[in-house]
Amino acid sequence: MPSVYICYVFHNCNTQQKVFFPFKYYMKTPQELIGNVKIRCSRYGWLLVYNLSHEPESMLLFNPFTNDIRKLQFMGYVRSNCFSAPPTSWDCMVVGLVADGMCAVFGQLVNSGLDWGLRFVDFGEVVPRSISFPTLYDKDVYALEAGGRLDVYRLMEIEGSFWEVVAEAPRGCPSEAQCYLVKCDEHRLLLVRVDEYGESVEVFKLNETTREWEKIDGLGRRMIYICGATCFCMEAKTPEMENKIYFPQLHSKNGKMVFYSLETSRYHTFDGRMVDEESFEDFLGTKYILNPHAWIEPSWC
């Protein structure tokens, strides 16, 4: 199977289903992943997974294409995670963030064997309701507060506060909207805002000078994949796939993956190289997969 396609994977106790465009296949789940599994992050062809059904509870990195597993020390159930490099790299670091009253717990694990390090933050009057989609960017961790505010946690800061607000939420952001943080290339952060029922989809880029979100109308040759466990942007492999946002939802009738076209401002489904003629304007007529799931770019290393 060529690695040019993005795979959608979801977990159900005994099997793990991979959905490619347009192929689908199953493979047996390793013993370590059977049970109450939570997929917390997807990067570099690996999944960061919590298994909460074993005693003790476990945390591991798993490559579903090679079945390689790297066990980690369980830190506790944090709100969000990310990791900096493929787990086969010597400098791989896992980050965990927790919003808890007046402080956040920041944990890091380096592949050299260093244990978790904890740091605490006094948020003052701007305590985040939640922290989501942590993204490593220039050795710092950027993350979204529930309303769409962008915060940064500076890993290398030794003295003083290592946390600050980078940008407030885009103007007019409704409280029920879902926001996703995406790193595009190496030097740009994007925010995707989706209304509760998918009636409106907007993309913003961060202006690092003014510290404001600026709305953009298209992605050019790029495409974005979003779900609860991960978000990423990459150059489209074919012209038919560019300037689109792919969602973790299936069309109720044809069972195909759903995407939003920034060119047509409507939702469509995809069949190989062809975009299906039928289109729709919101999530009505789609179904959300309840099993643990994530987008993942295939990797055999």
Side-chain angles (χ1 to χ4, degrees):
M1 185 66 64
S3 61
V4 297
Y5 291 104
I6 296 299
C7 169
Y8 184 72
V9 56
F10 71 89
H11 174 90
N12 64 16
C13 288
N14 296 315
T15 60
Q16 196 134 8
Q17 183 179 22
K18 279 65 167 191
V19 182
F20 287 84
F21 295 112
F23 309 107
K24 181 186 299 184
Y25 73 92
Y26 297 83
M27 70 184 301
K28 189 173 180 60
T29 300
Q31 186 67 31
E32 293 90 339
L33 273 73
I34 294 178
N36 182 16
V37 166
K38 308 292 183 184
I39 299 176
R40 304 307 308 274
C41 185
S42 172
R43 291 284 190 278
Y44 314 108
W46 290 71
L47 302 173
L48 177 61
V49 177
Y50 283 31
N51 192 331
L52 305 178
S53 60
H54 292 174
E55 289 293 341
E57 296 170 328
S58 60
M59 177 179 176
L60 51 88
L61 287 157
F62 170 58
N63 184 327
F65 306 98
T66 64
N67 278 330
D68 192 359
I69 294 177
R70 305 298 172 96
K71 295 183 179 180
L72 305 172
Q73 180 184 356
F74 187 70
M75 183 188 176
Y77 196 76
V78 301
R79 285 189 179 271
S80 52
N81 294 94
C82 64
F83 51 101
S84 62
T88 51
S89 303
W90 67 270
D91 59 345
C92 178
M93 177 175 63
V94 178
V95 174
L97 296 175
V98 178
D100 183 15
M102 297 297 290
C103 68
V105 180
F106 178 87
Q108 57 182 313
L109 177 68
V110 180
N111 219 20
S112 61
L114 294 180
D115 206 345
W116 289 102
L118 302 181
R119 297 188 68 177
F120 297 86
V121 182
D122 184 356
F123 289 109
E125 297 180 355
V126 288
V127 179
R129 288 174 288 169
S130 66
I131 300 174
S132 60
F133 303 109
T135 302
L136 283 153
Y137 180 76
D138 289 342
K139 297 183 179 180
D140 298 325
V141 176
Y142 287 78
L144 287 181
E145 189 266 343
R149 187 188 76 205
L150 180 65
D151 296 348
V152 62
Y153 302 82
R154 304 196 184 281
L155 305 186
M156 300 295 107
E157 187 69 37
I158 303 300
E159 299 180 356
S161 175
F162 75 106
W163 162 85
E164 66 174 311
V165 175
V166 176
E168 296 295 339
R171 293 187 181 93
C173 185
S175 58
E176 68 275 8
Q178 176 67 61
C179 294
Y180 301 87
L181 182 63
V182 186
K183 183 169 72 170
C184 184
D185 301 324
E186 292 299 321
H187 304 289
R188 183 166 58 166
L189 291 174
L190 302 180
L191 183 146
V192 179
R193 185 172 71 187
V194 184
D195 280 0
E196 185 177 11
Y197 299 106
E199 297 175 348
S200 173
V201 179
E202 297 176 293
V203 182
F204 302 83
K205 68 176 181 180
L206 178 66
N207 185 321
E208 296 186 9
T209 302
T210 63
R211 291 194 167 197
E212 293 182 336
W213 292 109
E214 298 177 349
K215 186 176 178 180
I216 60 176
D217 297 324
L219 299 171
R221 297 183 60 186
R222 293 178 175 81
M223 54 186 178
I224 290 176
Y225 293 83
I226 59 177
C227 68
T230 193
C231 308
F232 54 87
C233 175
M234 62 186 301
E235 186 172 333
K237 304 303 181 181
T238 66
E240 294 82 7
M241 299 181 72
E242 64 188 27
N243 203 29
K244 296 176 175 63
I245 301 173
Y246 292 84
F247 284 82
Q249 282 159 264
L250 302 176
H251 193 281
S252 299
K253 294 182 179 179
N254 61 30
K256 297 175 183 176
M257 303 301 300
V258 170
F259 67 83
Y260 182 84
S261 169
L262 290 166
E263 180 179 356
T264 66
S265 298
R266 293 181 66 85
Y267 293 91
H268 306 262
T269 57
F270 195 73
D271 184 10
R273 289 183 172 272
M274 300 297 295
V275 176
D276 292 333
E277 293 183 1
E278 181 183 3
S279 67
F280 39 102
E281 61 184 15
D282 54 31
F283 290 147
L284 185 66
T286 69
K287 55 185 179 180
Y288 185 80
I289 297 175
L290 297 179
N291 298 68
H293 59 270
W295 292 103
I296 186 170
E297 185 175 10
S299 172
W300 283 266
C301 61

